[in-house]
Amino acid sequence: MSIVHERRSDLAHGADDNVGLDAEHVSESGHGSGSGADKPKVVEQPRSSSWKALGAGWAGDPENDARPALGLYAHSFFSEEMSACRRAYLKLVVRATILTIILTWTCLPIYWGSLSASAELTGNLEAWIINRDQAQIGNSLENAVLASADPLSGHSSLWWRILNASKVGDDEAVAQAVINEQAWLAIVVSTNATARLTQARETGDVTYNPSSAITVYYAQARNEVAAGNYLLPITTALLSNFTSTYAASSAQRYLAAIVSQDGSVNLTALNSIAQAPKTISPGVGYTMVNLRPYTDPIAQAVLLVGQIYICIFAFIFVMAHSSARLYVETYLTFSSYLFIRIAMPLLFYIPLSLSYAMISLPFKLPFGARYSYGTGFFAFFAFIYLGMCALGLALEAMVTLTTPKFVPFFLVLLIIVNISTVAIPPELQPQLYAYGAGFQFWNIQQATRTIIFNTYSHLPTNAAVLIAWVLLSCGSLSVFTWLVRAYDVRKMHRAARVGSESGERSRCASQSFNGRGVYTTKSKDAWETGGAGQEKSKGEKGDLDVNEDGDEAGKGCASAAVDVVTLKA
């Protein structure tokens, strides 16, 4: 009689790739039965391995024996042996390229759009006209401003507002209003400007200063791009055209007045003009008063590009922290794990932001514009730290969901969404970009301008927005971490159950039968010859009794048997 031990298909597909466990055992018994000397022979026939070789081909794999082995540093990229590796390589590169193209079309239009309409939106920049003269110079300037604001003129114009001089206060009050960002620019026609010009012509006053007639107040440091590209060019073009036109017409009127109808000339008046020629040309001028000058070009490094560096430095720490957490996260409770995810970035951002702030010291960034130099530096450091926390914790939260593989895409989105709102003021951008006041870069930049240029202070608001971002990121990080931890725990429990069932099947697969059906668990080679009576063999977790009739009783593998025994005569 022979016994054929066949493995069920579910075990064949579910067990590990182990030749010893996956072997098909065929035994042939001798003529006698019940004799210990006549043990059946075992023939193992290994099934085809599913392992894949990247270095050298598997010699025991009949299906892949013909595949050429891969040698180190021995192949060209397009060689036949590299086909599998080449497919894997191209798959990753093509996928990354497609994702980058999608990111390009998603993010870059945001930045392009923030700059596209600035020339057409100069009418959103509020500028004041204050006429203290209430005479020919002041009234002529008002008319020139109104004419320039006409949409049919075809010229860029500001949002000119003509204010009542009695309600805005003196010139010092007007200057303070510009500093307080109530207006971008103010043009003030001085009191009795027309009368002083007339008197200077008549008396030949050599001390007359044409530039005293009109004064322009503005704060360049509020936004140097808006001031240099729009405010000043539009205003100087307007005033230059007005003064030249007014000087010509005024001189013509005055010369006509000193010449009588009979052609005689008033020599006294002519001598006065010769004595004070400035009263004729230019006659009227203007003075530009920069209330908050953009004094240091190095400020550009911290106001725009430097904020991108802050975000990148925070991102580098996030990636390093993501790798470091792998050593501890599986051993920590949720509260301890959440603690290091929040506390460690907040701690290590201190030296990072301090180092960033100290870079500006050798380059003499003017920290003493508003406070003392030391106080200004530490105020700057405090806002850099808040900004790095706000940006870094946002990245820390998103790396939980996107994983380190895809978080660089979020980094690009975060930078572009932020940088789009700080290059030019919101008045020169479509209404969509008003969101910038609630984002990190805008508040870091505004606080920095206050510290180094003494612009109008929004420091409490700036700090509140950045702290709100830190709190929001901490809350998001807590939720995301809890969700991922819960998923990992469920996956671990599921894997444990599957592993337990797989281990039970593997133990049953490693056991074998003797010639008369006696069960043993010691080894697949330890075959016992059947005999009269009843034998008992112990398994790892239960006993299995097999009597001479082949009846099975017990626990463990008996309840999860995966083998079918076929007796053949």
Side-chain angles (χ1 to χ4, degrees), residues 8-248:
R8 277 176 51 179
S9 60
D10 58 345
L11 180 61
H13 294 289
D16 294 333
D17 289 330
N18 189 307
V19 174
L21 295 181
D22 295 339
E24 181 178 322
H25 304 290
V26 180
S27 62
E28 296 180 359
S29 64
H31 295 286
S33 61
S35 174
D38 295 330
K39 293 185 178 180
K41 296 181 179 179
V42 179
V43 180
E44 296 186 358
Q45 298 178 354
R47 65 189 175 105
S48 297
S49 174
S50 60
W51 296 330
K52 296 180 179 178
L54 291 179
W58 292 96
D61 189 347
E63 296 179 358
N64 297 324
D65 281 345
R67 180 187 302 170
L70 290 177
L72 294 177
Y73 317 121
H75 304 279
S76 67
F77 181 74
F78 294 101
S79 63
E80 181 181 356
E81 297 87 348
M82 290 288 295
S83 59
C85 299
R86 187 167 57 248
R87 283 194 299 270
Y89 167 82
L90 291 176
K91 179 180 178 181
L92 290 177
V93 172
V94 170
R95 182 172 63 180
T97 302
I98 293 174
L99 290 176
T100 304
I101 292 173
I102 295 173
L103 184 69
T104 300
W105 282 95
T106 302
C107 296
L108 293 188
I110 299 175
Y111 185 69
W112 266 240
S114 69
L115 304 174
S116 61
S118 57
E120 290 77 20
L121 295 175
T122 56
N124 293 333
L125 300 175
E126 183 175 350
W128 294 351
I129 294 292
I130 301 167
N131 182 9
R132 302 187 191 279
D133 179 45
Q134 297 299 323
Q136 193 173 33
I137 294 178
N139 295 337
S140 298
L141 180 59
E142 286 185 2
N143 294 332
V145 167
L146 294 176
S148 69
D150 187 354
L152 299 179
S153 65
H155 301 292
S156 297
S157 177
L158 305 178
W159 177 20
W160 295 107
R161 296 182 60 194
I162 299 176
L163 303 184
N164 190 328
S166 62
K167 294 182 179 180
V168 297
D170 57 11
D171 287 358
E172 184 177 351
V174 173
Q176 190 61 45
V178 173
I179 293 174
N180 293 344
E181 300 181 358
Q182 297 177 10
W184 282 90
L185 179 143
I187 297 178
V188 179
V189 182
S190 60
T191 304
N192 299 323
T194 303
R196 287 190 293 109
L197 173 61
T198 302
Q199 184 180 7
R201 284 173 175 172
E202 292 175 352
T203 61
D205 187 0
V206 295
T207 63
Y208 174 75
N209 181 10
S211 299
S212 63
I214 301 172
T215 305
V216 180
Y217 298 98
Y218 69 101
Q220 181 190 16
R222 180 179 177 182
N223 190 285
E224 67 283 356
V225 175
N229 293 349
Y230 302 105
L231 281 176
L232 298 184
I234 291 175
T235 303
T236 54
L238 170 67
L239 293 177
S240 297
N241 182 62
F242 164 73
T243 53
S244 61
T245 302
Y246 182 83

Side-chain angles (χ1 to χ4, degrees), residues 493-512:
H493 289 165
R494 185 165 59 250
R497 289 195 300 270
V498 173
S500 177
E501 296 173 359
S502 176
E504 194 72 17
R505 290 194 297 266
S506 297
R507 284 193 297 274
C508 296
S510 66
Q511 294 168 341
S512 47

Side-chain angles (χ1 to χ4, degrees), residues 124-127 177-185 218-227 231 290-294 303 422-427 442 445-446 449-450 453-456 458:
N124 293 333
L125 300 175
E126 183 175 350
V178 173
I179 293 174
N180 293 344
E181 300 181 358
Q182 297 177 10
W184 282 90
L185 179 143
Y218 69 101
Q220 181 190 16
R222 180 179 177 182
N223 190 285
E224 67 283 356
V225 175
L231 281 176
N290 188 357
L291 300 170
R292 291 294 182 267
Y294 190 84
L303 291 176
V422 298
I424 57 177
E427 289 89 343
W442 172 261
Q445 185 198 71
Q446 198 173 51
R449 289 183 184 276
T450 299
F453 292 131
N454 194 23
T455 58
Y456 182 66
H458 299 275

